[in-house]
């Protein structure tokens, strides 16, 4: 996926790569290939600053929002393993999956369809010894997606280029863990 994204950035950087319409608000977000790659790099460096490295599990319980795609690409940039979780799962299913997968980071919406994902995640965290960070999409605090991942300019991190190049997965590496 990294090679394909890089090839698109090289050959058609300003072509539309992703359009996402949020169902609840109607907000539309668009990324060109250049913008998508830059955001994936920024989130990858943000994850690495949280201690995520090669083969670490990043669980992502998001609806069909643009952040989901960016997190997947970001994980692939640093060799982390993404664990996509359906947004309908609750404590029972999540506690098993997050513990079994040894998720280091859980990315959830603060609220979605009237449900408080933040409270659920925080309630689960004490029983999950590997879960170090809960990141909230739509939150405004220090643990928000914007503050931790998409906000900090990755270009300002001294070893950003090294972070983005040294741990990319090969064709036989695990890139996702999916529970069905």
């Amino acid at each position: 996926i990294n090679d394909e994204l890089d090839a698109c950035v090289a050959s058609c950087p300003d072509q539309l790569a992703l359009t996402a319409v949020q169902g609840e608000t109607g907000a539309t977000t668009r990324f060109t290939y250049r913008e998508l790659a830059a955001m994936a790099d920024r989130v990858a460096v943000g994850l690495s600053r949280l201690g995520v490295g090669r083969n670490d599990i990043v669980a992502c319980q998001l609806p069909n929002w643009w952040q989901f795609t960016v997190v997947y690409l970001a994980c692939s940039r640093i060799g982390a393993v993404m664990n996509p979780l359906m947004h309908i799962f609750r404590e029972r299913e999540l506690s098993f999956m997050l513990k079994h997968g040894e998720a280091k980071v859980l990315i959830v919406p603060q609220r979605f369809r009237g449900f408080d994902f933040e409270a659920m995640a925080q309630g689960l965290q004490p029983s999950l010894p590997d879960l170090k960070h809960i990141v909230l999409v739509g939150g405004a605090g220090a643990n928000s997606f914007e503050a931790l991942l998409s906000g900090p300019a990755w270009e300002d991190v001294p070893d950003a280029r090294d972070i983005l190049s040294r741990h990319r997965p090969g064709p036989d590496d695990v890139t996702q863990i999916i529970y069905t």
Side-chain angles (χ1 to χ4, degrees):
I1 192 82
N2 289 305
D3 294 343
E4 293 301 318
L5 181 56
D6 292 344
C8 288
V9 170
S11 66
C12 53
D14 298 317
Q15 193 170 32
L16 184 63
L18 176 71
T19 299
V21 179
Q22 190 182 51
E24 289 185 317
T25 65
T28 300
T29 304
R30 291 180 176 84
F31 289 105
T32 64
Y33 283 105
R34 181 192 331 263
E35 292 166 335
L36 183 61
M39 183 60 77
D41 289 348
R42 179 174 284 174
V43 172
V45 172
L47 287 169
S48 73
R49 291 169 72 185
L50 293 179
V52 175
R54 186 172 186 74
N55 296 320
D56 285 334
I57 307 298
V58 176
C60 185
Q61 189 184 26
L62 292 175
N64 191 19
W65 293 351
W66 67 264
Q67 292 91 341
F68 182 91
T69 300
V70 170
V71 168
Y72 171 69
L73 294 170
C75 286
S76 73
R77 295 297 221 201
I78 58 173
V81 177
M82 183 169 170
N83 174 210
L85 301 166
M86 292 179 15
H87 61 81
I88 61 171
F89 291 152
R90 296 297 183 255
E91 291 88 348
R92 183 173 173 267
E93 298 95 342
L94 289 176
S95 61
F96 169 78
M97 294 172 190
L98 295 171
K99 186 173 227 170
H100 181 265
E102 300 175 353
K104 195 172 209 175
V105 173
L106 173 60
I107 302 171
V108 297
Q110 184 176 32
R111 294 189 70 80
F112 179 66
R113 293 187 178 162
F115 185 76
D116 189 341
F117 284 83
E118 178 180 16
M120 179 183 63
Q122 289 175 346
L124 288 171
Q125 191 172 19
S127 65
L128 300 167
D130 297 301
L131 186 59
K132 305 299 181 207
H133 300 281
I134 297 168
V135 177
L136 302 173
V137 175
N143 65 334
S144 72
F145 181 86
E146 293 73 15
L148 291 174
L149 302 180
S150 67
W154 67 268
E155 299 90 344
D156 296 336
V157 177
D159 59 344
R161 286 285 170 212
D162 187 46
I163 289 168
L164 295 170
S165 63
R166 97 180 134 208
H167 294 301
R168 286 190 176 192
D172 295 323
D173 289 336
V174 175
T175 59
Q176 290 188 44
I177 181 170
I178 300 173
Y179 294 92
T180 61

